[in-house]
Amino acid sequence: MSASPSDGLRPMYIRTDLAPLADLLEVAFASTMDSSGRSSLEEMRSLSRLGFGLSLLTGWSPHALGVGVGYVWQADGKIVGNVSTFPAHGAAYMQRAWVIVNVAVHPDYRQRGIAQALMEATLEMIRGEGADRVYLQVDRDNLTAQRLYERLGFASESNWITWKRSSNRTPPEPFQPHHPIHITHPRFGEWQPEYALAQAVRPPGRGGIGWLQPLHEGAFQRTWWRNLLGLLALNGSEKLVIRSSDDSQFLASAWVEGGFSGGSVRLTLMVHP
């Protein structure tokens, strides 16, 4: 079969590629995808059906939908490869950093150099944006991908473990401390104590509070614009905190984040050392 003139590398178009990308990611990560990943795919498919509304969202902010930008590889009239990336703007040491969130190739098209071509194009794009560092996540057992990233100049920095549980399990008996623990919501505009807590948990220069969340002020400030984008992208979140007895600092914080499909919830917990 001869190649189509449209086959090969091209930029990713969020308004037309969301549904095909969801199909690709579902196949490419079939062996490792969890309920959170499947929920994200359903969100992508739901957003792809918004039509003109999706055009408005992507026009306001290219990253408002949580999809990122990047490149795809097209073959035989379908998308068979993708690399997606986000800027990690924030504190001074992270302002020129980017995060790569997807490196996917359909199983039938692997070992053809597609992943390397996609990565090289994405890294070139990121360099053009002035980036001086790039972060990505790879499974510990994916040796093929690790060798590719090493050839491209990546070095291992941190190891992360994600804990998961089914919502159908019976919860344990509540912990009964000697002193009462009061859980509250942060007050509107009260982000500095939580940012200070995150700095104590993971100081600047040692990565972020998670591989995809570099430690910077923007992750803690909830402006009206960010709240509006969250509503438009159909994402929900809640913050819970435990204050010190003198109300001067946060001793612990939990983020409860859910998506449009409601299939899973992500918890991010920070406790002062």
Side-chain angles (χ1 to χ4, degrees):
M1 178 180 296
S2 60
S4 167
S6 61
D7 284 353
L9 181 78
R10 67 166 174 82
M12 180 174 65
Y13 307 129
I14 293 179
R15 284 176 287 183
T16 58
D17 291 343
L18 275 184
L21 279 177
D23 295 339
L24 168 64
L25 298 177
E26 186 171 41
V27 174
F29 300 119
S31 61
T32 59
M33 184 169 294
D34 57 11
S35 59
S36 176
R38 287 188 288 272
S39 297
S40 297
L41 297 186
E42 291 308 311
E43 291 176 23
M44 291 174 65
R45 292 181 174 117
S46 297
L47 289 169
S48 71
R49 294 190 287 268
L50 290 181
F52 181 69
L54 181 61
S55 300
L56 291 176
L57 287 176
T58 55
W60 284 340
S61 171
H63 310 290
L65 304 179
V67 178
V69 297
Y71 290 89
V72 300
W73 191 278
Q74 189 165 309
D76 302 325
K78 60 185 178 181
I79 293 176
V80 300
N82 165 245
V83 170
S84 300
T85 183
F86 288 94
H89 299 311
Y93 76 98
M94 292 298 300
Q95 283 183 349
R96 299 177 65 188
W98 283 63
V99 178
I100 290 177
V101 293
N102 284 328
V103 182
V105 177
H106 193 285
D108 295 341
Y109 293 83
R110 290 173 182 169
Q111 304 301 319
R112 303 186 186 185
I114 294 176
Q116 180 165 339
L118 286 165
M119 283 293 296
E120 289 174 346
T122 301
L123 293 175
E124 184 65 26
M125 178 196 72
I126 292 173
R127 280 191 290 267
E129 295 291 335
D132 60 5
R133 71 191 71 183
V134 185
Y135 295 89
L136 57 76
Q137 179 193 43
V138 60
D139 289 339
R140 181 177 56 185
D141 298 331
N142 194 343
L143 300 181
T144 301
Q146 290 178 37
R147 286 192 289 267
L148 168 62
Y149 302 145
E150 288 170 358
R151 290 198 303 271
L152 293 171
F154 286 87
S156 177
E157 182 182 76
S158 302
N159 294 316
W160 297 95
I161 298 176
T162 301
W163 296 82
K164 306 169 186 176
R165 60 156 290 177
S166 168
S167 61
N168 297 325
R169 293 190 59 182
T170 303
E173 291 294 324
F175 173 63
Q176 299 294 337
H178 296 295
H179 301 285
I181 294 179
H182 299 290
I183 301 175
T184 64
H185 292 98
R187 305 179 186 101
F188 181 77
E190 186 184 31
W191 61 270
Q192 291 93 341
E194 189 177 40
Y195 181 54
L197 169 64
Q199 290 178 305
V201 172
R202 185 166 300 279
R206 289 181 51 198
I209 60 174
W211 77 269
L212 193 54
Q213 295 177 318
L215 182 58
H216 61 83
E217 296 179 2
F220 300 86
Q221 293 176 284
R222 297 299 300 180
T223 63
W224 68 268
W225 175 244
R226 289 189 62 190
N227 288 333
L228 175 61
L229 289 178
L231 290 173
L232 292 173
L234 306 176
N235 294 322
S237 64
E238 181 181 15
K239 286 189 177 184
L240 305 172
V241 300
I242 297 175
R243 304 173 186 274
S244 60
S245 58
D246 61 1
D247 203 28
S248 64
Q249 61 178 326
F250 289 173
L251 302 182
S253 170
W255 298 3
V256 186
E257 300 170 284
F260 170 69
S261 62
S264 65
V265 174
R266 177 185 177 92
L267 304 177
T268 303
L269 177 66
M270 292 182 288
V271 179
H272 197 285

